[in-house]
PDB file of all heavy atoms in Angstrom:
ATOM      1  N   PHE A   1      52.031 -13.970 -13.071  1.00 96.00           N
ATOM      2  CA  PHE A   1      51.616 -13.426 -11.775  1.00 96.00           C
ATOM      3  C   PHE A   1      52.086 -14.313 -10.615  1.00 96.00           C
ATOM      4  O   PHE A   1      52.593 -13.813  -9.599  1.00 96.00           O
ATOM      5  CB  PHE A   1      50.092 -13.286 -11.747  1.00 96.00           C
ATOM      6  CG  PHE A   1      49.531 -12.811 -10.443  1.00 96.00           C
ATOM      7  CD1 PHE A   1      49.579 -11.465 -10.094  1.00 96.00           C
ATOM      8  CD2 PHE A   1      48.966 -13.710  -9.546  1.00 96.00           C
ATOM      9  CE1 PHE A   1      49.072 -11.033  -8.883  1.00 96.00           C
ATOM     10  CE2 PHE A   1      48.445 -13.275  -8.332  1.00 96.00           C
ATOM     11  CZ  PHE A   1      48.505 -11.937  -8.005  1.00 96.00           C
ATOM     12  N   HIS A   2      51.942 -15.647 -10.763  1.00 95.00           N
ATOM     13  CA  HIS A   2      52.257 -16.554  -9.659  1.00 95.00           C
ATOM     14  C   HIS A   2      53.754 -16.737  -9.440  1.00 95.00           C
ATOM     15  O   HIS A   2      54.164 -17.366  -8.464  1.00 95.00           O
ATOM     16  CB  HIS A   2      51.604 -17.914  -9.908  1.00 95.00           C
ATOM     17  CG  HIS A   2      50.113 -17.859  -9.944  1.00 95.00           C
ATOM     18  ND1 HIS A   2      49.363 -17.525  -8.845  1.00 95.00           N
ATOM     19  CD2 HIS A   2      49.233 -18.066 -10.958  1.00 95.00           C
ATOM     20  CE1 HIS A   2      48.076 -17.546  -9.163  1.00 95.00           C
ATOM     21  NE2 HIS A   2      47.972 -17.865 -10.453  1.00 95.00           N
ATOM     22  N   THR A   3      54.559 -16.196 -10.360  1.00 96.00           N
ATOM     23  CA  THR A   3      56.011 -16.323 -10.187  1.00 96.00           C
ATOM     24  C   THR A   3      56.587 -15.192  -9.332  1.00 96.00           C
ATOM     25  O   THR A   3      57.788 -15.203  -9.025  1.00 96.00           O
ATOM     26  CB  THR A   3      56.719 -16.317 -11.559  1.00 96.00           C
ATOM     27  OG1 THR A   3      56.600 -15.013 -12.148  1.00 96.00           O
ATOM     28  CG2 THR A   3      56.121 -17.374 -12.481  1.00 96.00           C
ATOM     29  N   TYR A   4      55.763 -14.220  -8.964  1.00 96.00           N
ATOM     30  CA  TYR A   4      56.236 -13.077  -8.185  1.00 96.00           C
ATOM     31  C   TYR A   4      56.090 -13.341  -6.687  1.00 96.00           C
ATOM     32  O   TYR A   4      55.295 -14.187  -6.258  1.00 96.00           O
ATOM     33  CB  TYR A   4      55.468 -11.811  -8.562  1.00 96.00           C
ATOM     34  CG  TYR A   4      55.481 -11.492 -10.054  1.00 96.00           C
ATOM     35  CD1 TYR A   4      54.391 -10.912 -10.679  1.00 96.00           C
ATOM     36  CD2 TYR A   4      56.612 -11.761 -10.821  1.00 96.00           C
ATOM     37  CE1 TYR A   4      54.406 -10.623 -12.034  1.00 96.00           C
ATOM     38  CE2 TYR A   4      56.649 -11.476 -12.178  1.00 96.00           C
ATOM     39  CZ  TYR A   4      55.536 -10.911 -12.780  1.00 96.00           C
ATOM     40  OH  TYR A   4      55.563 -10.638 -14.116  1.00 96.00           O
ATOM     41  N   SER A   5      56.795 -12.560  -5.902  1.00 97.00           N
ATOM     42  CA  SER A   5      56.705 -12.679  -4.444  1.00 97.00           C
ATOM     43  C   SER A   5      55.335 -12.234  -3.968  1.00 97.00           C
ATOM     44  O   SER A   5      54.588 -11.567  -4.686  1.00 97.00           O
ATOM     45  CB  SER A   5      57.785 -11.817  -3.779  1.00 97.00           C
ATOM     46  OG  SER A   5      57.514 -10.439  -4.014  1.00 97.00           O
ATOM     47  N   GLU A   6      54.979 -12.598  -2.735  1.00 96.00           N
ATOM     48  CA  GLU A   6      53.675 -12.220  -2.173  1.00 96.00           C
ATOM     49  C   GLU A   6      53.503 -10.709  -2.160  1.00 96.00           C
ATOM     50  O   GLU A   6      52.409 -10.192  -2.441  1.00 96.00           O
ATOM     51  CB  GLU A   6      53.531 -12.790  -0.763  1.00 96.00           C
ATOM     52  CG  GLU A   6      53.376 -14.301  -0.721  1.00 96.00           C
ATOM     53  CD  GLU A   6      53.117 -14.803   0.691  1.00 96.00           C
ATOM     54  OE1 GLU A   6      52.995 -13.951   1.613  1.00 96.00           O
ATOM     55  OE2 GLU A   6      53.032 -16.020   0.864  1.00 96.00           O
ATOM     56  N   GLN A   7      54.570  -9.997  -1.844  1.00 97.00           N
ATOM     57  CA  GLN A   7      54.477  -8.544  -1.787  1.00 97.00           C
ATOM     58  C   GLN A   7      54.222  -7.962  -3.178  1.00 97.00           C
ATOM     59  O   GLN A   7      53.382  -7.082  -3.343  1.00 97.00           O
ATOM     60  CB  GLN A   7      55.765  -7.956  -1.201  1.00 97.00           C
ATOM     61  CG  GLN A   7      55.780  -6.435  -1.115  1.00 97.00           C
ATOM     62  CD  GLN A   7      54.670  -5.882  -0.222  1.00 97.00           C
ATOM     63  OE1 GLN A   7      54.284  -6.502   0.792  1.00 97.00           O
ATOM     64  NE2 GLN A   7      54.134  -4.716  -0.572  1.00 97.00           N
ATOM     65  N   THR A   8      54.950  -8.494  -4.188  1.00 97.00           N
ATOM     66  CA  THR A   8      54.761  -8.005  -5.558  1.00 97.00           C
ATOM     67  C   THR A   8      53.369  -8.350  -6.067  1.00 97.00           C
ATOM     68  O   THR A   8      52.721  -7.541  -6.748  1.00 97.00           O
ATOM     69  CB  THR A   8      55.832  -8.588  -6.492  1.00 97.00           C
ATOM     70  OG1 THR A   8      57.112  -8.198  -6.020  1.00 97.00           O
ATOM     71  CG2 THR A   8      55.650  -8.104  -7.916  1.00 97.00           C
ATOM     72  N   GLN A   9      52.874  -9.556  -5.712  1.00 96.00           N
ATOM     73  CA  GLN A   9      51.515  -9.938  -6.120  1.00 96.00           C
ATOM     74  C   GLN A   9      50.483  -8.987  -5.514  1.00 96.00           C
ATOM     75  O   GLN A   9      49.516  -8.581  -6.174  1.00 96.00           O
ATOM     76  CB  GLN A   9      51.220 -11.373  -5.692  1.00 96.00           C
ATOM     77  CG  GLN A   9      51.960 -12.422  -6.486  1.00 96.00           C
ATOM     78  CD  GLN A   9      51.548 -13.826  -6.115  1.00 96.00           C
ATOM     79  OE1 GLN A   9      50.401 -14.052  -5.726  1.00 96.00           O
ATOM     80  NE2 GLN A   9      52.487 -14.767  -6.226  1.00 96.00           N
ATOM     81  N   LYS A  10      50.697  -8.621  -4.235  1.00 97.00           N
ATOM     82  CA  LYS A  10      49.760  -7.710  -3.569  1.00 97.00           C
ATOM     83  C   LYS A  10      49.757  -6.352  -4.250  1.00 97.00           C
ATOM     84  O   LYS A  10      48.699  -5.765  -4.515  1.00 97.00           O
ATOM     85  CB  LYS A  10      50.157  -7.572  -2.098  1.00 97.00           C
ATOM     86  CG  LYS A  10      49.255  -6.636  -1.309  1.00 97.00           C
ATOM     87  CD  LYS A  10      49.723  -6.518   0.131  1.00 97.00           C
ATOM     88  CE  LYS A  10      48.833  -5.528   0.891  1.00 97.00           C
ATOM     89  NZ  LYS A  10      49.292  -5.350   2.307  1.00 97.00           N
ATOM     90  N   GLU A  11      50.943  -5.856  -4.551  1.00 97.00           N
ATOM     91  CA  GLU A  11      51.057  -4.553  -5.207  1.00 97.00           C
ATOM     92  C   GLU A  11      50.427  -4.594  -6.603  1.00 97.00           C
ATOM     93  O   GLU A  11      49.755  -3.643  -7.029  1.00 97.00           O
ATOM     94  CB  GLU A  11      52.532  -4.155  -5.296  1.00 97.00           C
ATOM     95  CG  GLU A  11      53.152  -3.852  -3.944  1.00 97.00           C
ATOM     96  CD  GLU A  11      54.657  -3.625  -4.042  1.00 97.00           C
ATOM     97  OE1 GLU A  11      55.194  -3.797  -5.159  1.00 97.00           O
ATOM     98  OE2 GLU A  11      55.274  -3.283  -3.009  1.00 97.00           O
ATOM     99  N   PHE A  12      50.674  -5.688  -7.294  1.00 97.00           N
ATOM    100  CA  PHE A  12      50.104  -5.818  -8.646  1.00 97.00           C
ATOM    101  C   PHE A  12      48.576  -5.831  -8.584  1.00 97.00           C
ATOM    102  O   PHE A  12      47.908  -5.175  -9.387  1.00 97.00           O
ATOM    103  CB  PHE A  12      50.604  -7.100  -9.313  1.00 97.00           C
ATOM    104  CG  PHE A  12      50.099  -7.289 -10.725  1.00 97.00           C
ATOM    105  CD1 PHE A  12      50.817  -6.834 -11.811  1.00 97.00           C
ATOM    106  CD2 PHE A  12      48.870  -7.901 -10.962  1.00 97.00           C
ATOM    107  CE1 PHE A  12      50.352  -6.993 -13.103  1.00 97.00           C
ATOM    108  CE2 PHE A  12      48.378  -8.054 -12.248  1.00 97.00           C
ATOM    109  CZ  PHE A  12      49.122  -7.596 -13.331  1.00 97.00           C
ATOM    110  N   LYS A  13      48.011  -6.594  -7.627  1.00 96.00           N
ATOM    111  CA  LYS A  13      46.555  -6.695  -7.522  1.00 96.00           C
ATOM    112  C   LYS A  13      45.931  -5.343  -7.217  1.00 96.00           C
ATOM    113  O   LYS A  13      44.894  -4.978  -7.778  1.00 96.00           O
ATOM    114  CB  LYS A  13      46.178  -7.715  -6.467  1.00 96.00           C
ATOM    115  CG  LYS A  13      44.693  -8.062  -6.428  1.00 96.00           C
ATOM    116  CD  LYS A  13      44.414  -9.147  -5.422  1.00 96.00           C
ATOM    117  CE  LYS A  13      42.955  -9.577  -5.467  1.00 96.00           C
ATOM    118  NZ  LYS A  13      42.002  -8.465  -5.336  1.00 96.00           N
ATOM    119  N   GLU A  14      46.567  -4.579  -6.335  1.00 95.00           N
ATOM    120  CA  GLU A  14      46.038  -3.246  -5.997  1.00 95.00           C
ATOM    121  C   GLU A  14      46.077  -2.338  -7.226  1.00 95.00           C
ATOM    122  O   GLU A  14      45.135  -1.589  -7.499  1.00 95.00           O
ATOM    123  CB  GLU A  14      46.863  -2.643  -4.860  1.00 95.00           C
ATOM    124  CG  GLU A  14      46.648  -3.347  -3.528  1.00 95.00           C
ATOM    125  CD  GLU A  14      47.581  -2.818  -2.455  1.00 95.00           C
ATOM    126  OE1 GLU A  14      48.500  -2.021  -2.804  1.00 95.00           O
ATOM    127  OE2 GLU A  14      47.402  -3.189  -1.276  1.00 95.00           O
ATOM    128  N   TRP A  15      47.186  -2.407  -7.948  1.00 96.00           N
ATOM    129  CA  TRP A  15      47.293  -1.588  -9.171  1.00 96.00           C
ATOM    130  C   TRP A  15      46.256  -2.011 -10.214  1.00 96.00           C
ATOM    131  O   TRP A  15      45.597  -1.167 -10.830  1.00 96.00           O
ATOM    132  CB  TRP A  15      48.702  -1.760  -9.742  1.00 96.00           C
ATOM    133  CG  TRP A  15      48.839  -1.216 -11.147  1.00 96.00           C
ATOM    134  CD1 TRP A  15      49.069   0.066 -11.508  1.00 96.00           C
ATOM    135  CD2 TRP A  15      48.713  -1.973 -12.357  1.00 96.00           C
ATOM    136  NE1 TRP A  15      49.098   0.182 -12.881  1.00 96.00           N
ATOM    137  CE2 TRP A  15      48.875  -1.066 -13.427  1.00 96.00           C
ATOM    138  CE3 TRP A  15      48.468  -3.307 -12.640  1.00 96.00           C
ATOM    139  CZ2 TRP A  15      48.807  -1.456 -14.760  1.00 96.00           C
ATOM    140  CZ3 TRP A  15      48.406  -3.701 -13.967  1.00 96.00           C
ATOM    141  CH2 TRP A  15      48.571  -2.788 -15.010  1.00 96.00           C
ATOM    142  N   TYR A  16      46.097  -3.329 -10.387  1.00 95.00           N
ATOM    143  CA  TYR A  16      45.165  -3.852 -11.396  1.00 95.00           C
ATOM    144  C   TYR A  16      43.726  -3.464 -11.071  1.00 95.00           C
ATOM    145  O   TYR A  16      42.967  -3.021 -11.949  1.00 95.00           O
ATOM    146  CB  TYR A  16      45.299  -5.373 -11.474  1.00 95.00           C
ATOM    147  CG  TYR A  16      44.465  -6.004 -12.581  1.00 95.00           C
ATOM    148  CD1 TYR A  16      45.018  -6.256 -13.831  1.00 95.00           C
ATOM    149  CD2 TYR A  16      43.122  -6.338 -12.379  1.00 95.00           C
ATOM    150  CE1 TYR A  16      44.265  -6.820 -14.848  1.00 95.00           C
ATOM    151  CE2 TYR A  16      42.358  -6.895 -13.388  1.00 95.00           C
ATOM    152  CZ  TYR A  16      42.933  -7.137 -14.623  1.00 95.00           C
ATOM    153  OH  TYR A  16      42.178  -7.692 -15.631  1.00 95.00           O
ATOM    154  N   ASP A  17      43.304  -3.633  -9.805  1.00 93.00           N
ATOM    155  CA  ASP A  17      41.912  -3.321  -9.427  1.00 93.00           C
ATOM    156  C   ASP A  17      41.608  -1.844  -9.600  1.00 93.00           C
ATOM    157  O   ASP A  17      40.471  -1.468  -9.896  1.00 93.00           O
ATOM    158  CB  ASP A  17      41.666  -3.744  -7.980  1.00 93.00           C
ATOM    159  CG  ASP A  17      41.624  -5.254  -7.826  1.00 93.00           C
ATOM    160  OD1 ASP A  17      41.480  -5.948  -8.859  1.00 93.00           O
ATOM    161  OD2 ASP A  17      41.748  -5.739  -6.690  1.00 93.00           O
ATOM    162  N   ALA A  18      42.639  -0.995  -9.405  1.00 94.00           N
ATOM    163  CA  ALA A  18      42.420   0.439  -9.594  1.00 94.00           C
ATOM    164  C   ALA A  18      42.294   0.786 -11.080  1.00 94.00           C
ATOM    165  O   ALA A  18      41.479   1.623 -11.476  1.00 94.00           O
ATOM    166  CB  ALA A  18      43.582   1.217  -8.975  1.00 94.00           C
ATOM    167  N   LYS A  19      43.094   0.115 -11.904  1.00 93.00           N
ATOM    168  CA  LYS A  19      43.072   0.411 -13.344  1.00 93.00           C
ATOM    169  C   LYS A  19      41.890  -0.228 -14.043  1.00 93.00           C
ATOM    170  O   LYS A  19      41.308   0.341 -14.966  1.00 93.00           O
ATOM    171  CB  LYS A  19      44.375  -0.076 -13.982  1.00 93.00           C
ATOM    172  CG  LYS A  19      44.504   0.271 -15.467  1.00 93.00           C
ATOM    173  CD  LYS A  19      45.871  -0.083 -16.000  1.00 93.00           C
ATOM    174  CE  LYS A  19      46.005   0.252 -17.490  1.00 93.00           C
ATOM    175  NZ  LYS A  19      45.897   1.713 -17.729  1.00 93.00           N
ATOM    176  N   TYR A  20      41.497  -1.427 -13.594  1.00 92.00           N
ATOM    177  CA  TYR A  20      40.407  -2.167 -14.230  1.00 92.00           C
ATOM    178  C   TYR A  20      39.356  -2.553 -13.193  1.00 92.00           C
ATOM    179  O   TYR A  20      39.275  -3.709 -12.763  1.00 92.00           O
ATOM    180  CB  TYR A  20      40.934  -3.441 -14.911  1.00 92.00           C
ATOM    181  CG  TYR A  20      42.038  -3.206 -15.918  1.00 92.00           C
ATOM    182  CD1 TYR A  20      43.356  -3.558 -15.601  1.00 92.00           C
ATOM    183  CD2 TYR A  20      41.778  -2.642 -17.164  1.00 92.00           C
ATOM    184  CE1 TYR A  20      44.376  -3.351 -16.523  1.00 92.00           C
ATOM    185  CE2 TYR A  20      42.789  -2.434 -18.078  1.00 92.00           C
ATOM    186  CZ  TYR A  20      44.087  -2.784 -17.749  1.00 92.00           C
ATOM    187  OH  TYR A  20      45.102  -2.582 -18.661  1.00 92.00           O
ATOM    188  N   PRO A  21      38.563  -1.579 -12.722  1.00 89.00           N
ATOM    189  CA  PRO A  21      37.549  -1.896 -11.697  1.00 89.00           C
ATOM    190  C   PRO A  21      36.547  -2.927 -12.219  1.00 89.00           C
ATOM    191  O   PRO A  21      36.090  -2.830 -13.367  1.00 89.00           O
ATOM    192  CB  PRO A  21      36.876  -0.552 -11.444  1.00 89.00           C
ATOM    193  CG  PRO A  21      37.197   0.289 -12.638  1.00 89.00           C
ATOM    194  CD  PRO A  21      38.528  -0.176 -13.130  1.00 89.00           C
ATOM    195  N   PRO A  22      36.209  -3.941 -11.422  1.00 80.00           N
ATOM    196  CA  PRO A  22      35.312  -5.026 -11.855  1.00 80.00           C
ATOM    197  C   PRO A  22      33.965  -4.543 -12.388  1.00 80.00           C
ATOM    198  O   PRO A  22      33.382  -5.132 -13.285  1.00 80.00           O
ATOM    199  CB  PRO A  22      35.141  -5.863 -10.585  1.00 80.00           C
ATOM    200  CG  PRO A  22      36.361  -5.565  -9.774  1.00 80.00           C
ATOM    201  CD  PRO A  22      36.696  -4.143 -10.052  1.00 80.00           C
ATOM    202  N   SER A  23      33.461  -3.447 -11.861  1.00 73.00           N
ATOM    203  CA  SER A  23      32.150  -2.951 -12.296  1.00 73.00           C
ATOM    204  C   SER A  23      32.177  -2.398 -13.712  1.00 73.00           C
ATOM    205  O   SER A  23      31.160  -2.322 -14.384  1.00 73.00           O
ATOM    206  CB  SER A  23      31.662  -1.870 -11.325  1.00 73.00           C
ATOM    207  OG  SER A  23      32.591  -0.787 -11.298  1.00 73.00           O
ATOM    208  N   LYS A  24      33.376  -2.035 -14.181  1.00 72.00           N
ATOM    209  CA  LYS A  24      33.485  -1.415 -15.492  1.00 72.00           C
ATOM    210  C   LYS A  24      33.904  -2.405 -16.571  1.00 72.00           C
ATOM    211  O   LYS A  24      33.412  -2.368 -17.701  1.00 72.00           O
ATOM    212  CB  LYS A  24      34.489  -0.266 -15.425  1.00 72.00           C
ATOM    213  CG  LYS A  24      34.652   0.479 -16.752  1.00 72.00           C
ATOM    214  CD  LYS A  24      35.637   1.626 -16.612  1.00 72.00           C
ATOM    215  CE  LYS A  24      35.805   2.360 -17.941  1.00 72.00           C
ATOM    216  NZ  LYS A  24      36.797   3.457 -17.837  1.00 72.00           N
ATOM    217  N   PHE A  25      34.818  -3.310 -16.235  1.00 63.00           N
ATOM    218  CA  PHE A  25      35.356  -4.221 -17.235  1.00 63.00           C
ATOM    219  C   PHE A  25      34.867  -5.636 -16.983  1.00 63.00           C
ATOM    220  O   PHE A  25      35.246  -6.275 -15.998  1.00 63.00           O
ATOM    221  CB  PHE A  25      36.890  -4.191 -17.216  1.00 63.00           C
ATOM    222  CG  PHE A  25      37.464  -2.859 -17.596  1.00 63.00           C
ATOM    223  CD1 PHE A  25      37.858  -1.962 -16.617  1.00 63.00           C
ATOM    224  CD2 PHE A  25      37.600  -2.503 -18.928  1.00 63.00           C
ATOM    225  CE1 PHE A  25      38.388  -0.726 -16.957  1.00 63.00           C
ATOM    226  CE2 PHE A  25      38.127  -1.277 -19.268  1.00 63.00           C
ATOM    227  CZ  PHE A  25      38.518  -0.378 -18.288  1.00 63.00           C
ATOM    228  N   LYS A  26      33.992  -6.092 -17.841  1.00 66.00           N
ATOM    229  CA  LYS A  26      33.457  -7.444 -17.740  1.00 66.00           C
ATOM    230  C   LYS A  26      33.628  -8.164 -19.079  1.00 66.00           C
ATOM    231  O   LYS A  26      33.474  -7.566 -20.138  1.00 66.00           O
ATOM    232  CB  LYS A  26      31.982  -7.428 -17.352  1.00 66.00           C
ATOM    233  CG  LYS A  26      31.721  -6.949 -15.932  1.00 66.00           C
ATOM    234  CD  LYS A  26      30.243  -7.056 -15.582  1.00 66.00           C
ATOM    235  CE  LYS A  26      30.000  -6.618 -14.148  1.00 66.00           C
ATOM    236  NZ  LYS A  26      28.557  -6.718 -13.797  1.00 66.00           N
ATOM    237  N   MET A  27      33.928  -9.437 -19.012  1.00 58.00           N
ATOM    238  CA  MET A  27      34.041 -10.247 -20.227  1.00 58.00           C
ATOM    239  C   MET A  27      32.677 -10.408 -20.861  1.00 58.00           C
ATOM    240  O   MET A  27      31.689 -10.685 -20.171  1.00 58.00           O
ATOM    241  CB  MET A  27      34.617 -11.629 -19.888  1.00 58.00           C
ATOM    242  CG  MET A  27      34.792 -12.540 -21.092  1.00 58.00           C
ATOM    243  SD  MET A  27      36.096 -12.027 -22.208  1.00 58.00           S
ATOM    244  CE  MET A  27      37.546 -12.494 -21.259  1.00 58.00           C
TER     245      MET A  27
END
């Protein structure tokens, strides 16, 4: 994740939060 550009990191985070909402997926 940290090897990507700021823009790619932002896009990845938005995609990840939509696919794995914190309220649903907990360790």
Side-chain angles (χ1 to χ4, degrees):
F1 177 79
H2 297 295
T3 69
Y4 306 145
S5 67
E6 290 185 4
Q7 179 61 34
T8 300
Q9 288 185 31
K10 180 181 178 182
E11 292 173 355
F12 182 92
K13 189 176 185 307
E14 290 174 351
W15 167 83
Y16 185 94
D17 289 344
K19 184 173 180 64
Y20 305 106
S23 60
K24 181 179 180 182
F25 296 98
K26 291 184 178 180
M27 181 70 74

